[in-house]
Amino acid sequence: MSQAPFLPVLRELACCYQAFERLSGHHIRQVGLTPGQFDVIATLGNTCGMSCRELGEHTLITKGTLTGVLDRLVERGLISREITPGDRRSLTVALTDAGRAVFEQVFSPHVAYLEPAFATLSPEELSTIEASLKQLRAVMEQGFGDCCEKLNN
């Protein structure tokens, strides 16, 4: 039986993601956050806030996990959830003053922590990797859409 030609790509993609999670997560935990909490704080960092739906679209957290992450950040006083003016069915999630302080304390140092991992790659290599990953994501999203259409019909 021959192996599907894309399986080595899937393996490398999964291994790359796991390696990144180990590297990034190690530092994130050192600053007292979980990766999900950091994702929310980093996403909200330079905004006035977002709806839960927008936050779900901009973070790497699944919808089911996001609610628990937000609950814990509210408990720590790092975010607020307020009814959106003009739409009482929607909540706006925003950093509190304490959350903004955490963002200022951890975001730039985290980028600096990750930088050496990418330092051996030239700007051209980084651009090529980014383009390849965008292409792969587009293919996956298109494939997923086709899959869902077939399932729903």
Side-chain angles (χ1 to χ4, degrees):
M1 175 190 253
S2 66
Q3 182 179 357
F6 64 88
L7 290 179
V9 174
L10 291 181
R11 177 167 175 68
E12 282 306 315
L13 181 63
C15 289
C16 181
Y17 180 74
Q18 290 169 349
F20 172 77
E21 282 294 304
R22 284 190 303 273
L23 176 67
S24 179
H26 174 75
H27 185 250
I28 294 302
R29 285 185 288 282
Q30 286 181 336
V31 298
L33 298 170
T34 67
Q37 291 170 341
F38 176 81
D39 193 2
V40 169
I41 289 171
T43 301
L44 292 172
N46 290 314
T47 73
C48 296
M50 296 181 174
S51 70
C52 289
R53 184 178 64 70
E54 290 172 315
L55 195 54
E57 291 170 356
H58 287 88
T59 62
L60 301 175
I61 305 170
T62 63
K63 187 177 179 180
T65 303
L66 182 59
T67 301
V69 171
L70 296 180
D71 288 345
R72 286 183 285 288
L73 288 171
V74 167
E75 289 170 9
R76 291 180 64 179
L78 301 178
I79 64 165
S80 64
R81 287 187 279 202
E82 306 286 331
I83 294 174
T84 303
D87 184 0
R88 294 185 354 201
R89 297 169 296 162
S90 179
L91 295 175
T92 298
V93 180
L95 292 177
T96 61
D97 289 342
R100 276 189 285 287
V102 168
F103 172 76
E104 295 297 327
Q105 290 170 347
V106 302
F107 186 76
S108 291
H110 187 62
V111 171
Y113 175 82
L114 294 174
E115 191 170 12
F118 294 90
T120 62
L121 299 168
S122 71
E124 294 79 19
E125 288 170 318
L126 289 169
S127 181
T128 298
I129 292 168
E130 179 185 8
S132 294
L133 289 171
K134 283 181 179 180
Q135 181 183 13
L136 181 58
R137 179 173 49 134
V139 167
M140 291 292 172
E141 288 175 347
Q142 179 61 43
F144 185 72
D146 290 345
C147 175
C148 289
E149 287 176 23
K150 291 175 189 171
L151 290 174
N152 290 330
N153 289 332

